[in-house]
């Protein structure tokens, strides 16, 4: 591994090390990969579809009905 006890790396080891490109700076450096974005999108769509298929609770329907009645009464008075 090391040529000597000084910690120097041999020429062969330098050649076998993968070259790393510098990371971009600025807004692009915090960007999610395309694969990660697609996965997040798929999970969000699945969650949304599950929620949309659930029935509206009775208390919400009652509240909407009362609001409609109240709006109808105020229109009659105007």
């Amino acid at each position: 591994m090391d040529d000597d006890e000084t910690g120097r790396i041999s020429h062969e080891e330098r050649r076998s090390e993968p070259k790393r490109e510098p990371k971009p700076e600025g807004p692009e450096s915090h960007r999610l990969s395309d694969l990660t974005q697609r996965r997040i999108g798929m999970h969000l769509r699945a969650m949304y579809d599950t929620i949309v298929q659930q029935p509206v609770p009775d208390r919400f329907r009652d509240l909407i009905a009362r609001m409609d009645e109240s709006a109808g009464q105020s229109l009659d008075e105007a």
Side-chain angles (χ1 to χ4, degrees):
M1 187 177 238
D2 295 334
D3 284 343
D4 57 22
E5 293 181 17
T6 62
R8 288 184 274 176
I9 299 173
S10 68
H11 292 289
E12 293 82 26
E13 286 182 319
R14 281 191 206 137
R15 280 190 227 128
S16 66
E17 288 181 8
K19 303 260 187 215
R20 293 190 180 126
E21 294 185 25
K23 290 185 177 182
E25 294 182 16
E28 290 295 316
S29 65
H30 300 292
R31 188 171 179 267
L32 297 174
S33 71
D34 291 339
L35 176 62
T36 302
Q37 289 181 22
R38 282 194 300 270
R39 282 181 166 172
I40 291 171
M42 287 178 6
H43 286 285
L44 287 173
R45 272 187 231 106
M47 289 173 53
Y48 177 79
D49 289 342
T50 301
I51 291 170
V52 168
Q53 292 173 2
Q54 294 179 2
V56 176
D58 291 337
R59 62 184 180 171
F60 288 166
R61 276 191 264 150
D62 294 342
L63 178 62
I64 292 169
R66 285 189 299 183
M67 291 171 66
D68 285 343
E69 287 174 11
S70 172
Q73 289 174 356
S74 63
L75 288 176
D76 291 338
E77 293 173 5

